[in-house]
Amino acid sequence: MTRVAAVDCGTNSVRLLIADIVPGEGGGTLTDVERRMEIVRLGEGVDETGRLSPAALERTFTAMRGYADLIERHGARAGKGPIKTRVVATSATRDAENRSDFVNGVVDIFGVVPEVISGDEEAELSFTGATRELAALRPARPYLVVDIGGGSTEFVLGSSSADAAYSTDIGCVRMTERHLKDGDPPSPVQISGAAADIDAALAAVREAVPVDEARTLVGLAGSVTTVAGIALDLPEYDPARIHLSRITATQVHDVTRRLLHATRAERAKFGVMHPGRIDVIGAGALILDRIMREYGFGAVVVSERDILDGIAWSLL
């Protein structure tokens, strides 16, 4: 058994997984020790200014200091025997002119240098995390794994490993800031503008990844799991009910319509809604809805396992 600590710092959230991993036939097992998530909105304003704001950095560092304490408590700090820690940063940090401010802060907190990974690396880690537990369901292969983040969305096609991948700059925070931030609820013109932006990106994805070969769509990350929770009419967020659920395209479209036509106060009333997702969930749902429409998927298999689990597996 190996105890590892994985930190994923995205555009909207920063997450921690401390886990015990046992390698073995069929891929081995990963058992959670701690799994935490904080909405910090690190990428707030990056699309417009090109820089990480001091306030966003401080929100992120505050969450990370709490994570460092947990890592210390569970004996998972890097450098103590075989136990390893990996900190990965994605879209917002790749785009920021002042990403050195982020890097220096992370080194001070964790004692390790964060890896500002490429979109292709992000896609590979997402695929690994998402598909390790799919064997029991026996879904048709190949899979198209879609990880809808705050600043970007990763598309990965493969059966046992990633055969083709593409990262595009459509994410729930980025689309909200470009199109949907002025309006409660957003207007039809704003929604149409966001949909057109998303569709243009999906056309570029099709040129890079043979999406029509995919037989199963696997959806990851908070936008997808929140849509699934609403579709399942859960009174509160329940990872066990959401993980590996199958949500139809009709359900996704209905939830997307409800979210885009709801006010902020109405969105906040959904029991599964994390407070940090209230402002951006409409855009996240719209991205998923457009993917299913454009690529012809009748359903999405929802996974609670994602890039964070892929980071943990990479430490073996």
Side-chain angles (χ1 to χ4, degrees):
M1 183 187 75
T2 301
R3 178 162 291 184
V4 301
V7 178
D8 167 38
C9 189
T11 302
N12 197 44
S13 64
V14 59
R15 301 182 299 149
L16 168 72
L17 172 61
I18 301 173
D20 292 331
I21 298 182
V22 179
E25 293 185 8
T29 61
L30 182 152
T31 303
D32 289 11
V33 177
E34 291 274 0
R35 190 181 288 261
R36 300 290 182 94
M37 187 269 288
E38 296 285 343
I39 301 289
V40 296
R41 202 67 59 83
L42 176 62
E44 185 175 35
V46 169
D47 192 51
E48 182 178 353
T49 68
R51 297 181 63 83
L52 300 168
S53 74
L57 284 168
E58 185 51 39
R59 289 194 298 268
T60 303
F61 294 155
T62 297
M64 286 182 166
R65 291 183 192 105
Y67 290 171
D69 289 343
L70 285 170
I71 292 170
E72 177 80 17
R73 190 183 312 163
H74 289 290
R77 173 159 288 184
K80 290 191 175 181
I83 301 169
K84 301 176 182 178
T85 298
R86 187 179 183 189
V87 181
V88 165
T90 54
S91 177
T93 317
R94 281 198 302 266
D95 297 342
E97 296 172 3
N98 61 331
R99 70 181 186 178
S100 62
D101 294 341
F102 171 81
V103 171
N104 293 336
V106 171
V107 172
D108 288 343
I109 293 167
F110 292 110
V112 298
V113 177
E115 301 170 54
V116 183
I117 60 174
S118 69
D120 286 345
E121 290 174 295
E122 187 174 353
E124 182 70 43
L125 290 169
S126 294
F127 185 89
T128 299
T131 60
R132 282 267 181 162
E133 296 182 354
L134 288 183
L137 291 181
R138 297 185 178 179
R141 303 187 186 193
Y143 312 126
L144 179 65
V145 175
V146 175
D147 187 345
I148 301 174
S152 64
T153 296
E154 280 62 56
F155 296 80
V156 196
L157 181 75
S159 294
S160 57
S161 62
D163 297 325
Y166 190 79
S167 178
T168 185
D169 284 343
I170 54 171
C172 60
V173 174
R174 199 182 296 269
M175 290 298 99
T176 298
E177 292 187 348
R178 282 186 188 176
H179 301 284
L180 306 179
K181 65 179 180 180
D182 298 320
D184 186 27
S187 70
V189 171
Q190 289 174 314
I191 295 170
S192 295
D197 205 354
I198 294 165
D199 290 350
L202 296 182
V205 172
R206 190 188 287 274
E207 293 181 2
V209 176
V211 294
D212 294 325
E213 295 180 8
R215 294 295 174 263
T216 299
L217 176 66
V218 182
L220 318 182
S223 290
V224 177
T225 59
T226 301
V227 167
I230 296 171
L232 294 169
D233 199 25
L234 299 182
E236 60 185 17
Y237 196 90
D238 185 346
R241 291 279 305 278
I242 291 170
H243 185 50
L244 302 184
S245 61
R246 182 180 181 276
I247 309 300
T248 67
T250 299
Q251 288 174 300
V252 170
H253 180 65
D254 178 64
V255 171
T256 300
R257 180 187 56 78
R258 290 165 64 191
L259 290 169
L260 288 173
H261 288 83
T263 64
R264 188 184 193 283
E266 290 168 339
R267 295 193 299 274
K269 291 179 181 178
F270 286 103
V272 300
M273 188 74 66
H274 188 287
R277 296 203 187 279
I278 295 170
D279 293 329
V280 300
I281 187 59
L286 183 61
I287 293 168
L288 177 61
D289 187 44
R290 300 309 299 180
I291 289 169
M292 297 182 76
R293 284 171 175 265
E294 291 298 309
Y295 299 156
F297 286 104
V300 57
V301 175
V302 180
S303 178
E304 285 277 348
R305 306 299 193 183
D306 53 26
I307 186 173
L308 190 61
D309 301 80
I311 295 167
W313 282 109
S314 76
L315 287 166
L316 274 184

